[in-house]
Amino acid sequence: MAKKSVASLQTGSKRLTKAIKMVKSPKTGAYMFVESVMAPELVNDFLAKK
């Protein structure tokens, strides 16, 4: 299933990257995952942002 979703991101002329980061919730203290699909140049900014 994961291979299919990754392959669908690479179709067409635009190259996209899926970034996933773990963020701690301020209310409960539990960790949650934030996902985003973006251009490869924006990944470092996304991961550096709190």
Side-chain angles (χ1 to χ4, degrees), residues 21-26 30-34:
K21 71 176 176 178
M22 194 166 62
V23 179
K24 190 171 186 178
S25 173
Y31 286 96
M32 57 187 180
F33 293 95
V34 178

PDB file of all heavy atoms in Angstrom, residues 21-26 30-34:
ATOM      1  N   LYS A  21       6.704  14.658  10.458  1.00  0.00           N
ATOM      2  CA  LYS A  21       7.458  14.982  11.668  1.00  0.00           C
ATOM      3  C   LYS A  21       6.590  14.725  12.895  1.00  0.00           C
ATOM      4  O   LYS A  21       5.370  14.772  12.834  1.00  0.00           O
ATOM      5  CB  LYS A  21       7.983  16.414  11.648  1.00  0.00           C
ATOM      6  CG  LYS A  21       6.948  17.502  11.800  1.00  0.00           C
ATOM      7  CD  LYS A  21       7.636  18.852  11.849  1.00  0.00           C
ATOM      8  CE  LYS A  21       6.625  19.972  11.892  1.00  0.00           C
ATOM      9  NZ  LYS A  21       7.258  21.274  11.993  1.00  0.00           N
ATOM     10  N   MET A  22       7.255  14.440  13.991  1.00  0.00           N
ATOM     11  CA  MET A  22       6.577  14.146  15.243  1.00  0.00           C
ATOM     12  C   MET A  22       6.546  15.412  16.091  1.00  0.00           C
ATOM     13  O   MET A  22       7.574  16.058  16.294  1.00  0.00           O
ATOM     14  CB  MET A  22       7.317  13.020  15.966  1.00  0.00           C
ATOM     15  CG  MET A  22       6.556  12.408  17.075  1.00  0.00           C
ATOM     16  SD  MET A  22       7.247  10.852  17.648  1.00  0.00           S
ATOM     17  CE  MET A  22       8.837  11.352  18.227  1.00  0.00           C
ATOM     18  N   VAL A  23       5.349  15.785  16.580  1.00  0.00           N
ATOM     19  CA  VAL A  23       5.168  17.011  17.347  1.00  0.00           C
ATOM     20  C   VAL A  23       4.510  16.656  18.671  1.00  0.00           C
ATOM     21  O   VAL A  23       3.577  15.860  18.710  1.00  0.00           O
ATOM     22  CB  VAL A  23       4.274  18.004  16.565  1.00  0.00           C
ATOM     23  CG1 VAL A  23       4.045  19.270  17.360  1.00  0.00           C
ATOM     24  CG2 VAL A  23       4.881  18.326  15.217  1.00  0.00           C
ATOM     25  N   LYS A  24       4.983  17.261  19.745  1.00  0.00           N
ATOM     26  CA  LYS A  24       4.408  17.015  21.066  1.00  0.00           C
ATOM     27  C   LYS A  24       3.238  17.966  21.288  1.00  0.00           C
ATOM     28  O   LYS A  24       3.369  19.177  21.113  1.00  0.00           O
ATOM     29  CB  LYS A  24       5.467  17.210  22.145  1.00  0.00           C
ATOM     30  CG  LYS A  24       5.035  16.761  23.512  1.00  0.00           C
ATOM     31  CD  LYS A  24       6.192  16.785  24.483  1.00  0.00           C
ATOM     32  CE  LYS A  24       5.774  16.196  25.802  1.00  0.00           C
ATOM     33  NZ  LYS A  24       6.890  16.170  26.756  1.00  0.00           N
ATOM     34  N   SER A  25       2.096  17.430  21.683  1.00  0.00           N
ATOM     35  CA  SER A  25       0.899  18.228  21.928  1.00  0.00           C
ATOM     36  C   SER A  25       1.052  19.009  23.233  1.00  0.00           C
ATOM     37  O   SER A  25       1.414  18.433  24.262  1.00  0.00           O
ATOM     38  CB  SER A  25      -0.322  17.316  22.008  1.00  0.00           C
ATOM     39  OG  SER A  25      -1.451  18.050  22.399  1.00  0.00           O
ATOM     40  N   PRO A  26       0.777  20.320  23.210  1.00  0.00           N
ATOM     41  CA  PRO A  26       0.912  21.097  24.442  1.00  0.00           C
ATOM     42  C   PRO A  26      -0.153  20.749  25.485  1.00  0.00           C
ATOM     43  O   PRO A  26       0.081  20.878  26.678  1.00  0.00           O
ATOM     44  CB  PRO A  26       0.778  22.543  23.976  1.00  0.00           C
ATOM     45  CG  PRO A  26       0.127  22.477  22.650  1.00  0.00           C
ATOM     46  CD  PRO A  26       0.431  21.139  22.066  1.00  0.00           C
ATOM     47  N   ALA A  30       1.132  14.193  24.628  1.00  0.00           N
ATOM     48  CA  ALA A  30       1.309  13.045  23.738  1.00  0.00           C
ATOM     49  C   ALA A  30       1.917  13.514  22.417  1.00  0.00           C
ATOM     50  O   ALA A  30       1.787  14.673  22.041  1.00  0.00           O
ATOM     51  CB  ALA A  30      -0.037  12.376  23.482  1.00  0.00           C
ATOM     52  N   TYR A  31       2.568  12.587  21.748  1.00  0.00           N
ATOM     53  CA  TYR A  31       3.156  12.910  20.454  1.00  0.00           C
ATOM     54  C   TYR A  31       2.180  12.587  19.339  1.00  0.00           C
ATOM     55  O   TYR A  31       1.444  11.604  19.402  1.00  0.00           O
ATOM     56  CB  TYR A  31       4.454  12.123  20.241  1.00  0.00           C
ATOM     57  CG  TYR A  31       5.594  12.667  21.066  1.00  0.00           C
ATOM     58  CD1 TYR A  31       5.910  12.114  22.298  1.00  0.00           C
ATOM     59  CD2 TYR A  31       6.347  13.736  20.617  1.00  0.00           C
ATOM     60  CE1 TYR A  31       6.953  12.606  23.068  1.00  0.00           C
ATOM     61  CE2 TYR A  31       7.394  14.237  21.368  1.00  0.00           C
ATOM     62  CZ  TYR A  31       7.687  13.670  22.587  1.00  0.00           C
ATOM     63  OH  TYR A  31       8.722  14.172  23.328  1.00  0.00           O
ATOM     64  N   MET A  32       2.155  13.437  18.305  1.00  0.00           N
ATOM     65  CA  MET A  32       1.331  13.195  17.130  1.00  0.00           C
ATOM     66  C   MET A  32       2.179  13.457  15.893  1.00  0.00           C
ATOM     67  O   MET A  32       3.218  14.106  15.964  1.00  0.00           O
ATOM     68  CB  MET A  32       0.093  14.074  17.145  1.00  0.00           C
ATOM     69  CG  MET A  32       0.356  15.537  17.224  1.00  0.00           C
ATOM     70  SD  MET A  32      -1.170  16.427  17.423  1.00  0.00           S
ATOM     71  CE  MET A  32      -0.567  18.087  17.494  1.00  0.00           C
ATOM     72  N   PHE A  33       1.730  12.929  14.783  1.00  0.00           N
ATOM     73  CA  PHE A  33       2.473  13.060  13.536  1.00  0.00           C
ATOM     74  C   PHE A  33       1.795  14.073  12.622  1.00  0.00           C
ATOM     75  O   PHE A  33       0.581  14.059  12.455  1.00  0.00           O
ATOM     76  CB  PHE A  33       2.562  11.705  12.825  1.00  0.00           C
ATOM     77  CG  PHE A  33       3.386  10.718  13.581  1.00  0.00           C
ATOM     78  CD1 PHE A  33       2.800   9.803  14.441  1.00  0.00           C
ATOM     79  CD2 PHE A  33       4.761  10.710  13.463  1.00  0.00           C
ATOM     80  CE1 PHE A  33       3.564   8.897  15.152  1.00  0.00           C
ATOM     81  CE2 PHE A  33       5.539   9.803  14.161  1.00  0.00           C
ATOM     82  CZ  PHE A  33       4.934   8.908  15.008  1.00  0.00           C
ATOM     83  N   VAL A  34       2.598  14.959  12.025  1.00  0.00           N
ATOM     84  CA  VAL A  34       2.112  15.955  11.078  1.00  0.00           C
ATOM     85  C   VAL A  34       2.709  15.602   9.725  1.00  0.00           C
ATOM     86  O   VAL A  34       3.925  15.496   9.580  1.00  0.00           O
ATOM     87  CB  VAL A  34       2.534  17.376  11.505  1.00  0.00           C
ATOM     88  CG1 VAL A  34       2.082  18.400  10.492  1.00  0.00           C
ATOM     89  CG2 VAL A  34       1.998  17.699  12.886  1.00  0.00           C
TER      90      VAL A  34
END
